[in-house]
């Protein structure tokens, strides 16, 4: 037991360290490489103007966005997997992805001219779909099975509406929406960063405070109630907070898949399922994972960029399979 | 003390209880028996406040159950479920600490749980399992760990729904000893639904027998309740009752052929 505890402590040093190294890597690689010395000079302001501009106005905002989105998706994934008692749940399971996409395309089809129309519409669509799933499933009293099935159905409905809308929209803007849907950190308006950070921090705090409730919910509704949890109210609070985190991430960066599924899963293998640890560790690891994925997306086919969702799945899936096999092997 | 006053409950339009009144005393070891479909589990669900009576009232230590908040119910009543697949692989000590939830202070505090958990693990003889993950436990171990989780709830009433009925004989006996000790030494009120007639007779101060209409067919000490006639009318079974050679508790011998 003592060995396990000390191992756990080392993870709290290791995970922030991984995030820090990912950040450094992400800041130094790109069309114009900035080695460590140049990076340092740019930070303290003794370098030339170009390097400083690249660092502060291009790479740093993008890296911060990656951290924000990765942390949000990791945390939301962990929370959804707890509430739904399903390790295969991801933040998009309850119609959030379909709703967000539908919102974004609606904004485009209506020709809303504002720069913030797209993320805002995606945000509203995501939360709207989740709310509808919640109501349809009578989630205040219903079972998690009903919730998941309703989520899948509402998601399908949103997707079919989406296809219909895409069919009516002219081809050119449609391409940009498709690209956006695949997940992209490059197109986001970085003016959103401060607001997004505040919002994410608030939702994370709510979830983290509710970590013991999440632990209880993994035991099933009846047992959770026997242990003193007001299940309906707690589930509403948790789904709202996790849904808002997801909606925020989608609004900022489109549908980046896989992070919310695989990161909490990996953390559970490393640190166990208790949510007081799972949520912050998933945030840290999700942020690192998205930073590195974005780095790969930017440099592999430079100057072209691969959609980041493609990269997260390409790195995430084999890594996950490796961990799974190793775990099985040890029994 | 648990008091049911004229409780009525229907399940999918089908009456389970129409007029059930009953008292379980503090510190009592109370058994609920009856054939399948007599509403044993439904009665337990009413006591857990998972479902609400349609008429009548249930009071726990004088307080109407319907008025209590979830955590207040959990501070008074702890439930030991049947050992089933425990889901996510929590280590045993964290799993047991979940039982402290009803005592969680405020909105983001964590309930202090270390010493309570340690004590409960000792009582249930599971200290050596503290770091093991719950999904790797045997059935008997998991059942003791579930009991430990109910114990850290620090409730004065323990409800068991056939908690030990699928365990091997040795584990079932050990579990019964544990319940007996909790009841005698700590004064915990224990209400258990059981299919094991002989064990219930040896263990319980009083037993309730429900018939298929959800009515009280018999209520009293095992010696009063266990009669050949009762088993004939309620269970539709021909049995002979004789005293256990050691304890004198009634023992049920069915006519097999």
């Amino acid at each position: 037991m003592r060995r396990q505890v000390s191992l756990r402590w080392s993870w709290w040093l290791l995970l922030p360290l991984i995030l820090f190294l990912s950040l450094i890597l992400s800041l130094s690689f790109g069309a114009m490489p900035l080695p460590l010395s140049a990076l340092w000079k740019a930070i303290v302001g003794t370098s030339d103007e170009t390097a400083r501009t690249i660092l502060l106005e291009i790479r740093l905002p993008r890296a911060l966005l990656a951290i924000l989105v990765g942390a949000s998706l990791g945390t939301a994934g962990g929370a959804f997997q707890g509430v739904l008692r399903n390790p295969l749940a991801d933040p998009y399971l309850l119609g959030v992805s379909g709703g967000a996409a539908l919102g974004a395309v609606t904004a485009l089809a209506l020709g809303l001219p504002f720069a913030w129309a797209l993320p805002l519409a995606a945000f509203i669509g995501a939360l709207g779909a989740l709310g509808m799933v919640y109501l349809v499933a009578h989630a205040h009293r219903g079972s998690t099975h009903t919730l998941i099935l309703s989520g899948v159905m509402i998601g399908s409905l949103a997707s079919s509406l989406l296809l219909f809308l895409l069919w009516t929209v002219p081809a050119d803007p449609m391409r940009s929406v498709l690209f956006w849907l695949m997940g992209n950190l490059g197109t986001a308006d970085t003016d959103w960063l401060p607001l997004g950070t505040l919002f994410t921090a608030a939702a994370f705090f709510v979830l983290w405070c509710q970590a013991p409730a999440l632990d209880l919910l993994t035991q099933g509704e009846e047992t959770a109630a026997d242990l003193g949890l007001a299940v309906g109210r707690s589930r509403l609070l948790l789904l709202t907070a996790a849904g808002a985190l997801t909606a925020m991430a989608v609004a900022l960066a489109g549908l980046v898949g896989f992070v919310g599924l695989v990161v909490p899963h990996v953390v559970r293998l490393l640190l166990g399922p208790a949510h007081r640890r799972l949520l912050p560790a998933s945030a840290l690891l999700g942020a690192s994972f998205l930073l590195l994925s974005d780095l790969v997306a930017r440099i592999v086919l430079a100057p072209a960029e691969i959609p980041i969702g493609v990269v997260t799945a390409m790195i995430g899936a084999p890594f996950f399979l490796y961990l799974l096999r190793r775990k099985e092997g040890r029994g | 003390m648990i008091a049911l006053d004229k409780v009525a409950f229907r399940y999918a339009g089908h009456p389970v209880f129409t007029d059930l009144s009953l008292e379980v005393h503090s510190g009592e070891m109370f058994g609920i028996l009856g054939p399948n479909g007599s509403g044993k589990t439904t009665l337990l669900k009413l006591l857990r406040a998972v479902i609400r009576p349609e008429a009548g009232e249930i009071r726990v230590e004088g307080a109407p159950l319907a008025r209590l908040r979830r955590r207040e119910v959990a501070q008074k009543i702890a439930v030991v479920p049947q050992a089933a697949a425990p889901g996510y692989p929590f280590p045993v000590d964290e799993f047991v600490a979940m039982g402290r939830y009803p005592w969680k202070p405020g909105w983001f505090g964590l309930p202090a749980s270390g010493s309570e958990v340690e004590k409960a693990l000792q009582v249930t003889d599971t200290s050596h399992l503290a770091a093991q993950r719950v999904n790797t436990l045997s059935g008997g171990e998991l059942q003791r760990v579930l009991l430990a989780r109910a114990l850290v709830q620090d409730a004065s009433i323990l409800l068991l729904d056939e908690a030990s009925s699928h365990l091997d004989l040795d584990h079932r006996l050990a579990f019964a000893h544990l319940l007996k000790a909790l009841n005698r030494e700590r004064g915990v009120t224990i209400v258990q639904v059981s299919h094991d007639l002989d064990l219930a007779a040896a263990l319980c101060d009083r037993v309730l027998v429900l018939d298929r209409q959800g009515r009280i067919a018999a209520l009293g000490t095992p010696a009063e309740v266990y009669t050949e006639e009762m088993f004939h009318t309620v269970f539709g079974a021909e049995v002979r009752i004789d005293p256990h050679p050691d304890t004198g508790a009634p023992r049920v011998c069915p006519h097999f052929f």
Side-chain angles (χ1 to χ4, degrees), chain A residues 1 81 209 226 229 277, chain B residues 48 70 88 93-94 102 108:
Chain A
M1 186 182 176
Q81 289 176 5
C209 287
D226 285 335
L229 185 72
R277 293 190 304 272
Chain B
R48 288 161 66 195
R70 233 18 285 179
Y88 288 115
D93 50 359
E94 286 179 2
F108 60 82

Side-chain angles (χ1 to χ4, degrees), chain A residues 172-266:
Chain A
D172 241 14
M174 187 173 103
R175 242 186 87 79
S176 74
V177 165
L178 281 179
F179 193 67
W180 180 80
L181 279 180
M182 281 189 281
N184 194 315
L185 293 170
T187 55
D189 191 342
T190 48
D191 292 348
W192 288 95
L193 267 178
L195 187 66
T197 308
L198 254 177
F199 190 87
T200 302
F204 178 84
F205 183 70
V206 170
L207 287 176
W208 193 68
C209 287
Q210 292 298 306
L214 270 168
D215 289 349
L216 258 54
L217 281 172
T218 64
Q219 300 300 303
E221 291 108 55
E222 287 203 353
T223 299
D226 285 335
L227 292 171
L229 185 72
V231 173
R233 229 177 36 202
S234 172
R235 194 150 59 179
L236 177 61
L237 178 65
L238 289 165
L239 285 179
T240 307
L245 268 184
T246 313
M248 192 70 193
V250 175
L252 288 174
L255 295 175
V256 181
F258 225 78
V259 184
L261 171 66
V262 79
V263 166
H265 215 114
V266 170

Side-chain angles (χ1 to χ4, degrees), chain A residues 101-177:
Chain A
L102 186 60
V105 175
T106 308
L108 209 78
L110 294 176
L112 297 179
F114 324 103
W116 42 266
L118 196 81
L120 198 65
F123 185 81
I124 293 171
L127 273 190
L130 183 64
M132 204 186 289
V133 169
Y134 192 87
L135 290 179
V136 166
H138 289 296
H140 218 65
R141 286 174 304 152
S143 72
T144 50
H145 283 295
T146 321
L147 203 55
I148 292 175
L149 283 174
S150 309
V152 173
M153 286 308 125
I154 299 276
S156 308
L157 191 64
S159 300
S160 65
L161 284 173
L162 170 76
L163 287 176
F164 172 73
L165 273 180
L166 284 176
W167 177 67
T168 63
V169 172
D172 241 14
M174 187 173 103
R175 242 186 87 79
S176 74
V177 165

Side-chain angles (χ1 to χ4, degrees), chain A residues 264-314:
Chain A
H265 215 114
V266 170
V267 171
R268 207 174 288 117
L269 290 179
L270 299 175
L271 287 167
H275 289 87
R276 272 279 152 123
R277 293 190 304 272
L278 183 84
L279 296 180
S282 296
L284 288 170
L285 197 62
S288 313
F289 182 49
L290 209 61
L291 270 175
L292 293 178
S293 298
D294 182 50
L295 180 64
V296 173
R298 283 189 288 129
I299 61 174
V300 168
L301 290 180
E305 264 183 36
I306 313 172
I308 190 165
V310 174
V311 180
T312 51
M314 274 186 182

